[in-house]
Structures are given as structure tokens and as C-alpha cells.
Amino acid sequence: MAAWQQAVAVVAALAVGGGLAYGTYSLVRDTVLAESSPSPSATASPEPSASSDPCDWDALPEEARPALAEQPDGLPEAYALTADVWACADETWTVEVEVVEGDGYPMGIQWQSLYLRSPSGDRVLLYGLRNDVQIEVVGQDVLARAAWLARVTGGDSFQVVQMDLADGLVVEDWGGGMLPASQVHDGGVWDVWAAQPLDSGAELWLGARYTGDASAVFMRTAGRTFQPYSAQRIIDQMTANGSITASGIEGVALWVSSDLTYAVGLEQMPAGDDGITTTGSATWVVIDLVRDQWRLESSSAPTGVCAPAPEAALDGAYDDPGPIPAVCATGDSGSEAWTLAVDAGPVLAG
């Protein structure tokens, strides 16, 4: 399972992991993510020609399709990218990476390339990719000719870049200033991924702290346009007030429901300098991820800083969040399982 998929596997219960310094990615060579394709015929046209008409790819006879692209040994058969391909590629097509393992640094990658894939399984080569980091697709919009790619090095944090699929241009500082501040640093965007479409037509995105703590929710409204939830300003204010997470850093612990319709964020104020002890007073922000609404609730909580319990999820609703499974620190550097609530005191689990 890919690193970003491990982070997403139980979005309501991201486990707290060891930290990875933000500066780690300075070791990655500063080059464009997409390099020239092995074959000139696989080079993307910036835009389809004005005369291009929508087409049914599966109905195209072989003689009407592009030539096969030349690729290194081990990569799957794929057609070369032409303007006509873009006339066929719609929202049913996907973007994917194929990898040939090897002894390369640092992920054991010999070759990897980025492809368009039709619903019937045919591949079209977009670009050959660098092999000093593993590339994972964490978001995509074929109609907007955009994909969001994670640069994975095996640590707890990954940078996400935006690629223009038409010309291979990579943008590190993307989002138009609309992304949560917790996910933007060192000139790039970190630890974010698309979660699911919403009934509104937007797409839910999630973000995590570099330690693995869930930290942010936002949305992609259309194409390459992003928008924060209105509750983000409250989360930012809680962080500015000094709220801490189980990793001892400033932030708000965030639980997301198993159906990705609501989330709850917990402000925990420190009661000392140990990064563990809190006042035991909880302020919650409850977020409707479908309707972009929020409200504040208050309750008591353990005096050891809490985080979402691994492999547990919220199964209530925005109006009634239900029990909140948590793991909270104890004074002996251990932890205990608790059940929290936005309107009631904590209960020691088990």
C-alpha cells in the first residue's frame, strides 16, 4: 500500500507517528517532476486542436489510434499522447503511475511513468518521471487536465505538486492561497489528498500534520480551484490560542466520520510545558462537510493530550456526532483509550 494510502486508510483515526523534519525534501534535486518522454511521439500537445471532436475511444479502430510509445523495458504497453486523445479522454478516464523496481535511490525505482487510462484499460503515455522519489497520484481531474502527485520518500511526510497534464508543467505552490495554512510551508504543499466527491459537486480533500495527525479539511470546487471550509478560521484561531496535538505541536486534533460527511476538531490547551498535560477542558468545532456549516460545543476531557484512536471511526452525524474514540497520554509516557463526546465527559474505555 502506498504511503499516502496508508495515511488515508482510516481517515477518522490517523495514528500519531514519528516526526520528519520539513527540510528533508531539500535532498531531492530541484527539477521538474515530469521529464521528457522516451519517445518524441509521446510528447503532450498543449491543447487539442480546435477541430477535435469528442470521440468514443473504445470504438476507434486500431488504425485510427496513435502509434505505440517507445518505453523502457518493464513498463506496460501504451499509446503515444496526441491532441486527438484529449478529445476522447473524459471524466471516466484516470491518471496512474506505473513503476519498474530497481536499485535506484531512494525508493528502489528503475523507471516510472505517468499514464492516462481508458475505462477499458488502454494506457496512453503522458510522461516519464524522475526516479529519485516515488510518485503517487493523490488527486486528478482529467477534464481540467490536472493531477496532484505526491513525492514519497518513505518518511512520514510527503510533498504534493500540481501537474498540468497537457504540457507537464509542475507547480509546487498551488491552491491560490485557499489551502489550510497547516499544509503549506517550505514553498510547497504537504500531506494532502482527495477523499471523495460531495453532493454539491465539489470534492472533499483532507490534510495531515507531518507527524501523521489529521489536521485539515478543505474542498476543490471545480478544476484547479480550491476553497477552505468556513470552520477553518476557527481551527486556525484555536491553533493560534495555543492548542496542542498529541505530538506536542500546535494544532487541533481532528476526527473525520467514516462516511466523510462530518468532522470534529478538539482544542486542547496545555497546562504545563511537558507537551502532554492539558487543562481537561475541551472546546469542539463540529463541521458539516456537506453543507459547509459548523458549530462550537464544550465538554470535559482527560488531562492527557488526546488523539484519534487508530482504526476507529465516527459513526454518528453532524447533529449528533456520537462517541469519539481517542487515545490520551498518561503521565508515565504511556496512553489510555477513552471515549469522548462533544457534550459530555470522557469515559475510560474497556
Side-chain angles (χ1 to χ4, degrees):
M1 183 180 291
W4 74 272
Q5 292 170 320
Q6 292 173 348
V8 172
V10 185
V11 293
L14 286 174
V16 175
L20 178 71
Y22 290 157
T24 298
Y25 274 82
S26 65
L27 300 176
V28 177
R29 68 176 185 265
D30 187 16
T31 59
V32 174
L33 177 64
E35 300 167 352
S36 298
S37 300
S39 167
S41 63
T43 303
S45 300
E47 295 290 341
S49 63
S51 61
S52 295
D53 295 319
C55 77
D56 181 354
W57 173 267
D58 292 333
L60 286 179
E62 194 64 33
E63 60 269 18
R65 298 187 177 196
L68 292 177
E70 295 181 13
Q71 299 188 87
D73 291 341
L75 288 172
E77 181 178 271
Y79 295 97
L81 181 65
T82 67
D84 291 335
V85 171
W86 284 119
C88 298
D90 59 19
E91 69 277 1
T92 65
W93 288 52
T94 57
V95 182
E96 63 180 37
V97 175
E98 292 288 344
V99 178
V100 176
E101 295 183 359
D103 298 325
Y105 171 84
M107 302 295 294
I109 297 170
Q110 183 177 10
W111 307 107
Q112 60 182 335
S113 291
L114 190 69
Y115 300 87
L116 281 174
R117 192 165 188 177
S118 74
S120 60
D122 290 326
R123 292 180 177 88
V124 177
L125 176 64
L126 288 171
Y127 305 102
L129 303 175
R130 55 196 280 180
N131 65 0
D132 60 337
V133 292
Q134 181 178 335
I135 305 300
E136 300 284 350
V137 180
V138 297
Q140 58 184 278
D141 188 331
V142 172
L143 289 181
R145 299 186 189 175
W148 292 267
L149 308 176
R151 294 171 171 173
V152 180
T153 61
D156 294 323
S157 188
F158 52 88
Q159 185 181 13
V160 176
V161 297
Q162 177 181 279
M163 174 183 275
D164 188 317
L165 299 177
D167 58 17
L169 178 66
V170 166
V171 179
E172 294 189 342
D173 184 14
W174 51 273
M178 293 291 103
L179 305 188
S182 60
Q183 310 311 128
V184 181
H185 51 81
D186 289 352
V189 180
W190 298 75
D191 306 322
V192 300
W193 61 90
Q196 74 169 25
L198 300 171
D199 291 343
S200 64
E203 182 178 62
L204 175 65
W205 279 60
L206 301 175
R209 284 286 189 177
Y210 72 96
T211 55
D213 300 331
S215 62
V217 288
F218 56 106
M219 69 182 84
R220 184 172 66 89
T221 56
R224 306 177 193 186
T225 303
F226 289 82
Q227 177 181 317
Y229 278 94
S230 57
Q232 188 61 45
R233 63 186 179 88
I234 302 301
I235 293 174
D236 291 344
Q237 184 60 56
M238 289 177 167
T239 302
N241 287 344
S243 174
I244 59 173
T245 71
S247 302
I249 60 176
E250 292 185 350
V252 172
L254 191 68
W255 287 254
V256 184
S257 67
S258 56
D259 61 3
L260 303 183
T261 61
Y262 73 101
V264 295
L266 172 60
E267 179 188 60
Q268 303 176 97
M269 301 304 294
D273 297 328
D274 59 6
I276 295 176
T277 306
T278 71
T279 62
S281 178
T283 299
W284 299 88
V285 54
V286 186
I287 309 166
D288 187 324
L289 299 176
V290 178
R291 297 175 292 179
D292 190 15
Q293 299 177 356
W294 61 271
R295 69 179 191 276
L296 292 178
E297 299 277 4
S298 61
S299 66
S300 57
T303 55
V305 66
C306 297
E311 300 183 9
L314 303 181
D315 292 321
Y318 171 72
D319 294 332
D320 181 14
I324 302 170
V327 175
C328 305
T330 60
D332 57 358
S333 300
S335 61
E336 296 176 320
W338 289 81
T339 300
L340 311 182
V342 301
D343 55 359
V347 176
L348 192 61

